[in-house]
Amino acid sequence: MYLTRFRFNTNRPGSRKLLSSPQATHASVMGGFPGLLPGDPGNQGEAGAPRVLWRVDRNARAEVLLYVVSPTAPDLTHLVEQAGWPAAEGAGWQSHDYGGFLGRLEAGQTWAFRLTANPVHSIRRKDGEPTKVTAHVTPRHQAGWLLQRQEACGIEIVRRPVDQQLIPGEDEHELVVHGRDASGFDKPDPRSGKRGNGRMRVPLVTATFDGRLTVTDPDALRRVLCAGLGRAKAYGCGLMTLAPVA
């Protein structure tokens, strides 16, 4: 596995085009893997197997970073030419072998983490109707979505001491939900035919989670880090990254 980082040159039109469309960013990321054919979602095997994951972090107006986790190292030359600094020395992308880090994960370790996800649940509005996938839209319910998946992910979100909880009972964990977005995006409408130019709206609700976790099951956590968490992985969701606790 490899972890790759690329910084967008936000002054370039190519960057603005990519950052306004998860579909365009997905296509550009997939273009970095010669072994993937157009339209391939990037899944390298059965469900839960390692796959291509990506995430955009907007840390500041001039610091927008793309992270990619993948079974093979990508070639992002086209991305540098479109949205980076083609003539600047050392301003391309950096890929690192992820396997050594993954192999050193152990139960009891504490890490800072970031995850951008598509928190959804299935609901049935009345008896007899099929269930419908619906997005969580409030920070409380989005946080609850992640907390419900702790055990399956092999982690435990660190709890705050009672005297540090701003809202007792609702601020129990070291977890912040931000960067919430429900704008969705447009893509070609397949119903318009080969010559049609119709567009359709794709609803997409995302949220970014920052917090601290303790490893409880290293193997389960490794699967999450390599295969992603939740839905909409093709649109920049599901990639969790870890960092040392400051």
Side-chain angles (χ1 to χ4, degrees), residues 58-113:
R58 293 172 170 83
N59 298 328
R61 184 174 182 180
E63 188 185 40
V64 181
L65 303 173
L66 171 70
Y67 289 94
V68 180
V69 165
S70 54
T72 59
D75 180 348
L76 301 183
T77 302
H78 63 294
L79 196 54
V80 175
E81 293 172 346
Q82 179 183 4
W85 288 267
E89 182 177 354
W93 69 94
Q94 300 83 41
S95 290
H96 304 280
D97 184 353
Y98 206 26
F101 173 79
L102 295 171
R104 292 191 295 272
L105 291 174
E106 296 181 358
Q109 293 174 338
T110 299
W111 297 92
F113 75 91

Side-chain angles (χ1 to χ4, degrees), residues 5-10 15 19 55-67 83 85:
R5 188 180 79 163
F6 167 81
R7 181 184 170 196
F8 285 96
N9 180 349
T10 55
S15 290
L19 294 172
R55 187 184 78 221
V56 172
D57 284 3
R58 293 172 170 83
N59 298 328
R61 184 174 182 180
E63 188 185 40
V64 181
L65 303 173
L66 171 70
Y67 289 94
W85 288 267

